[in-house]
Amino acid sequence: MDVYCKTREMDKAYRVVEEMRERDISPDVITYTSLIGGLGLVGQPDKARDVLEEMREYGCYPDVAAYNAAIRNFCIAKRIGDAYGLMNEMVKKGLSPNATTYNILLRTFYWWNDLISSWNLYLRMRETGCLPNTQSCMFLIRLLRRHEKVEMALELWNDMVEMGFGSY
């Protein structure tokens, strides 16, 4: 099923899910996350978001990875408002965005050269206690260098040292 999703053969992937249900095998969160990722590859982020609802209807609840896959789809589609909406939905459902969640958004802002949104997202990370990883820091540092924001880069560096995240 995952191979069908990764090769963009969504009709075949859905047939596998139907066959599973016919055999009284319930798709799990990993199966649904594969579907969400595949739908993103074929440019259907709205349908992927619908899968999050479908999961619940079948008694399988999305985890952070499932939300991250859906958020990634909206970032690829350049629909950042929808991506943030899913991140906020995650929080309302009791799930905490992780470093991967933030990296998906930070990567998008990096490619858009959007320093303000990147920095605000970093501040949100810091506020919620989600420690950035090396990838997060590299997106930020490169963007800060590009914009010649030495003071902000030093603030990030001091946070890295003080809180023990990122790479040294």
Side-chain angles (χ1 to χ4, degrees):
M1 214 275 309
D2 191 52
V3 172
Y4 289 142
C5 291
K6 288 180 178 169
T7 56
R8 303 170 190 218
E9 298 178 81
M10 297 310 295
D11 290 338
K12 290 180 181 178
Y14 273 106
R15 273 190 247 130
V16 171
V17 172
E18 288 172 25
E19 186 178 322
M20 288 173 71
R21 290 190 178 127
E22 287 170 6
R23 294 180 182 196
D24 205 28
I25 300 169
S26 297
D28 61 9
V29 69
I30 295 168
T31 305
Y32 284 112
T33 302
S34 292
L35 282 174
I36 292 167
L39 289 165
L41 290 175
V42 297
Q44 296 184 353
D46 292 307
K47 194 168 183 180
R49 179 178 39 205
D50 293 343
V51 171
L52 293 172
E53 289 304 315
E54 180 184 321
M55 290 173 71
R56 289 184 194 96
E57 291 170 16
Y58 284 99
C60 181
Y61 296 92
D63 61 6
V64 174
Y67 272 101
N68 285 348
I71 289 167
R72 181 179 293 114
N73 294 345
F74 282 117
C75 287
I76 290 168
K78 299 179 180 173
R79 292 173 53 189
I80 203 75
D82 289 312
Y84 267 105
L86 281 176
M87 188 164 77
N88 292 332
E89 179 183 309
M90 276 175 71
V91 173
K92 287 178 187 171
K93 301 281 184 190
L95 299 170
S96 297
N98 60 18
T100 301
T101 312
Y102 289 102
N103 286 344
I104 293 164
L105 294 160
L106 285 169
R107 179 184 296 112
T108 301
F109 294 140
Y110 174 78
W111 290 115
W112 291 355
N113 199 32
D114 187 344
L115 176 62
I116 301 300
S117 296
S118 292
W119 190 254
N120 288 335
L121 188 62
Y122 168 67
L123 295 176
R124 179 176 174 171
M125 269 181 107
R126 195 168 69 180
E127 188 178 292
T128 62
C130 179
L131 294 181
N133 60 20
T134 302
Q135 188 179 26
S136 310
C137 295
M138 292 311 298
F139 284 128
L140 284 164
I141 287 172
R142 287 178 183 152
L143 199 52
L144 291 166
R145 186 185 71 66
R146 188 184 299 160
H147 287 267
E148 299 179 357
K149 298 293 185 181
V150 176
E151 296 81 21
M152 292 168 79
L154 288 172
E155 182 179 342
L156 173 61
W157 182 261
N158 289 333
D159 287 348
M160 291 169 65
V161 171
E162 184 180 313
M163 293 185 254
F165 62 78
S167 172
Y168 293 96

